[in-house]
Each structure stands twice: as C-alpha cells, then as structure tokens.
Amino acid sequence: DRVSTQSTGSQISPRARPGTMKELLMTASNAPLFKAFDLKDLHLENRVVMAPMTRTFSPGNVPNDLNVEYYRRRAEGGVGLIITEGTCVGHKAASGYPNVPFFYGDEALAGWKKVAAAVHAEGGKIMPQLWHVGAVRRPGVEPDPEVPGYGPSGLVAKGKKKCHEMSESDVADVIDAFAQAAEDAKAAGFDGVEIHGAHGYLIDQFFWGDLNERTDAWGGNRVERTLSLIHI
C-alpha cells in the first residue's frame, strides 16, 4: 500500500487521494518534477507545466463556465503552471479558427479573469498563450469574414502570394496588440504570458525566408528577421 522513493526516503500512499498526479508519477527518477521553482516573483509549487492546447470551446470567442472548470480541474490535479490554449490578440486578422477565445474586449477579458481566479484558488499559476495566426487566416473566418490573412510579404508559401502584405503600420499595430494583451493579462490576474512564436503562425512567418521577403527593418538575414519578435 505504500511506495518508497529511494532518493529522498519519503513515502507516499497512492490510495490517500486516488489518481492525483503526484502519487501516480512520483518515483526516484522524476521526483525533481515536484520540487518548487522560483523565478523572480514567480513561485511554482512544482515544475509540471501544462502545454497550450487549442480547444475551440468558446462560442462567441468568450471564455465561459466550461473553460473556467476545465482549467480549474487541471490546477486541482496538481499542475504547477498552466499555459492556456491559444487566445487571439486584439488585431483584426489575429483569428484563424471558429470558437477560439479572444484576449480582448470586456466580455472576453472578464471570462479570462474568472479562469485565472479559479486556477489561483486551487494553488496553481496560469499564463495565456497570445496568438496571431497571420497568413494562415482565410476569408470567412470570424470576427470579420471580409478580413484576409496578414503575412510579412503576403505569401502563404514560396512564390505563392495569397494574403495581405503587411505595411510597416500593420506591423506596428500587431506589436501594439501583443503589448496590450500582456497589459490586460496582468490586470486580469495572470502570472505572465506566453508568446506563440511557432507552428507557422505570424511571428514564425517572419522568421522564414520563403515567407518573409521584406527589404525593410522587418526582413533581411535570419537574425534580422527576428526583429518583430524582439519588439513584441
């Protein structure tokens, strides 16, 4: 009925609270996962982090009670830090899929505030993943079906121009949208933010020479193409 961890000499009972993450996973080899972690003013009870996973469970692009309960249960289960599903920043071309929660507007931010409070009540920490899909967006997608995708050079693949080529003012607007979302996350009680810079979405599109043929400050060699992320 008891499990001993040789490295620490501690004992735990997997039947005390059946199914808890710590009791299911605790062994000598992964015990460090359950050590506290501190970085400046961020304190985590353990080093288990839940990765962002798109769910499309937010009709009207507003987090609802089901979202609140979903994240609360993960914190209750022992996850030290939760990174939310991708949530769109306040730019007209940020969204690429239906029923994805936004991170702007009074109603959406009020929903996210409830999520953060529920996670904190269970002892967890939470950060939103801030997202702009860029050239992946297609006409017909909410909130304005007339808005096309936006890309560094209007390309969706090498030599294939099928979306809006971003002007310098467009780039500035997107940077401002990410900054505003981070400010709103702090006001809503979140513990930080994650910037979605991968998987072929907007920030990642700036990194790739096949999609970024710009000759201004936002283009150039591999290092120079990271400037947009640095500004964000």
Side-chain angles (χ1 to χ4, degrees):
D1 289 344
R2 303 185 69 82
V3 178
S4 173
T5 56
Q6 185 176 4
S7 63
T8 63
S10 63
Q11 292 183 321
I12 58 174
S13 171
R15 294 183 181 177
R17 287 189 301 160
T20 62
M21 177 180 62
K22 186 172 182 178
E23 289 162 348
L24 290 171
L25 298 180
M26 178 66 86
T27 65
S29 61
N30 63 23
L33 278 173
F34 299 99
K35 291 182 179 179
F37 176 83
D38 291 282
L39 177 64
K40 296 184 178 179
D41 60 350
L42 176 66
H43 173 77
L44 304 181
E45 291 296 324
N46 59 57
R47 302 172 185 226
V48 178
V49 180
M50 175 176 153
M53 293 173 278
T54 299
R55 304 182 65 241
T56 61
F57 275 20
S58 300
N61 312 111
V62 173
N64 53 51
D65 290 345
L66 292 176
N67 300 109
V68 173
E69 181 63 7
Y70 172 81
Y71 289 111
R72 187 201 66 77
R73 288 176 61 193
R74 272 67 192 171
E76 179 187 40
V79 175
L81 173 62
I82 296 170
I83 309 297
T84 76
E85 62 205 287
T87 178
C88 300
V89 299
H91 182 265
K92 59 186 176 182
S95 177
Y97 308 96
N99 300 324
V100 167
F102 292 167
F103 210 83
Y104 64 93
D106 292 344
E107 193 175 2
L109 291 174
W112 280 119
K113 187 173 183 178
K114 292 179 182 178
V115 170
V119 168
H120 290 156
E122 298 293 345
K125 298 294 172 65
I126 185 168
M127 301 181 183
Q129 185 188 62
L130 305 180
W131 189 23
H132 192 304
V133 304
V136 171
R137 178 181 172 83
R138 297 291 183 268
V141 177
E142 54 198 27
D144 183 347
E146 300 300 318
V147 174
Y150 274 46
S153 300
L155 299 165
V156 296
K158 185 176 178 62
K160 192 174 182 180
K161 187 164 287 194
K162 280 197 171 183
C163 69
H164 173 75
E165 181 174 351
M166 296 175 70
S167 65
E168 289 200 36
S169 64
D170 290 330
V171 176
D173 288 345
V174 168
I175 292 172
D176 288 345
F178 274 95
Q180 183 62 55
E183 183 176 333
D184 290 338
K186 185 176 182 179
F190 283 83
D191 301 290
V193 299
E194 182 184 274
I195 306 298
H196 197 333
H199 303 159
Y201 296 116
L202 183 60
I203 293 173
D204 196 29
Q205 290 158 22
F206 273 90
F207 297 161
W208 294 91
D210 286 351
L211 299 178
N212 183 354
E213 298 178 344
R214 300 178 72 99
T215 57
D216 61 7
W218 309 108
N221 62 36
R222 184 174 298 178
V223 174
E224 292 166 339
R225 293 196 300 269
T226 66
L227 186 62
S228 62
L229 177 58
I230 292 169
H231 275 256
I232 288 171

